[in-house]
């Protein structure tokens, strides 16, 4: 349900940003506002408090963000509160940011390797990803997972390319297990 809410409101915000020709502005504002909510859990508690009426919650949102964000964005945030979806604000903003990145062809790649990659290796991975995907640039996250033994695991969105030795050994073990001896 939360994903559906995030998608519905995130798509609405994305359409508004395109319509108003404020994609970059809304992108920047959404990242800042998302951070505000992540760093201030008390704000979400306040917005969810059952004894505070909806108009007061909307007033709080307007007071906090009025001079710090565009009128359209503040209006969007108050709409979310009016519809009692304040619990989903971070998810909505995450979805919106991912839509903007997709629209601008900015990929987000998570790369795991058995050992730390040097700068030249990281650049080579990014170069190959740029050559083999639709993206024009990448935000790369590199992590070390020694259990991979060797090779790489690359995740872009919901797609995963697992070229690790660990994966190959598991596949080989599975294939050997499936062989029936005569």
């Amino acid at each position: 349900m939360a994903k559906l809410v995030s998608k519905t409101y995130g798509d609405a915000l994305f359409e508004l940003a395109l319509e108003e020709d404020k994609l970059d502005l809304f992108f920047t504002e959404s990242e800042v506002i998302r951070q505000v909510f992540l760093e201030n859990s008390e704000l979400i508690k306040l917005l969810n408090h059952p004894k505070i009426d909806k108009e007061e919650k909307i007033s709080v949102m307007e007071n906090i963000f009025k001079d710090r964000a565009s009128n359209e964005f503040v209006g969007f945030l108050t709409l979310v509160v009016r519809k009692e979806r304040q619990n989903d604000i971070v998810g909505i903003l995450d979805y919106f940011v991912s839509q903007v990145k997709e629209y601008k062809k900015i990929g987000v790649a998570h790369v795991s390797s058995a050992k730390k990659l040097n700068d030249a290796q990281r650049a080579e991975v990014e170069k190959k990803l740029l050559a083999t995907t639709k993206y024009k640039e990448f935000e790369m996250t590199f992590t070390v997972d020694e259990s991979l033994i060797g090779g790489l695991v690359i995740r872009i969105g919901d797609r995963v390319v697992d070229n690790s030795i660990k994966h190959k050994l598991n596949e080989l073990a599975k294939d050997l297990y499936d062989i029936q001896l005569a």
Side-chain angles (χ1 to χ4, degrees):
M1 179 69 167
K3 274 191 167 185
L4 180 62
V5 170
S6 296
K7 180 181 178 351
T8 302
Y9 284 85
D11 283 340
L13 182 59
F14 183 75
E15 291 301 320
L16 177 65
L18 287 177
E19 196 175 289
E20 297 288 324
D21 196 27
K22 294 185 176 181
L23 197 64
D24 292 330
L25 175 65
F26 282 15
F27 181 77
T28 303
E29 289 177 343
S30 65
E31 288 190 317
V32 171
I33 291 169
R34 178 185 175 279
Q35 204 58 40
V36 167
F37 278 99
L38 290 175
E39 292 173 0
N40 299 291
S41 60
E42 296 299 315
L43 179 57
I44 291 287
K45 287 180 186 173
L46 176 93
L47 292 173
N48 286 321
H49 199 285
K51 293 194 177 180
I52 299 175
D53 75 346
K54 199 182 293 186
E55 291 308 315
E56 265 187 87
K57 293 175 185 179
I58 291 169
S59 178
V60 166
M61 291 294 278
E62 288 174 341
N63 288 335
I64 292 172
F65 296 112
K66 189 165 184 148
D67 294 327
R68 294 175 180 88
S70 63
N71 290 336
E72 297 90 346
F73 209 96
V74 173
F76 177 78
L77 291 172
T78 58
L79 173 72
V80 170
V81 173
R82 190 174 308 283
K83 298 290 186 179
E84 298 181 2
R85 297 296 188 188
Q86 56 272 11
N87 266 344
D88 299 309
I89 286 177
V90 172
I92 292 167
L93 297 178
D94 284 343
Y95 182 84
F96 171 74
V97 166
S98 71
Q99 288 300 100
V100 172
K101 287 180 182 177
E102 197 65 30
Y103 180 79
K104 291 182 163 207
K105 297 199 181 309
I106 300 170
V108 178
H110 302 277
V111 180
S112 297
S113 59
K115 295 189 179 196
K116 185 173 177 161
L117 300 177
N118 63 36
D119 290 341
Q121 291 168 322
R122 289 175 181 220
E124 186 63 28
V125 169
E126 185 172 3
K127 181 179 167 189
K128 291 228 190 243
L129 289 176
L130 288 169
T132 58
T133 64
K134 65 182 179 182
Y135 298 107
K136 294 180 181 174
E137 72 179 85
F138 271 97
E139 291 179 3
M140 307 286 289
T141 304
F142 292 92
T143 57
V144 174
D145 180 357
E146 293 177 0
S147 73
L148 296 178
I149 304 170
L152 299 173
V153 177
I154 302 171
R155 185 172 60 85
I156 302 171
D158 59 355
R159 294 175 292 166
V160 177
V161 175
D162 190 342
N163 196 21
S164 66
I165 293 175
K166 176 183 177 181
H167 176 72
K168 289 179 181 179
L169 287 173
N170 287 339
E171 290 294 312
L172 182 61
K174 182 180 161 207
D175 290 345
L176 288 173
Y177 185 74
D178 289 343
I179 294 175
Q180 293 187 3
L181 299 175

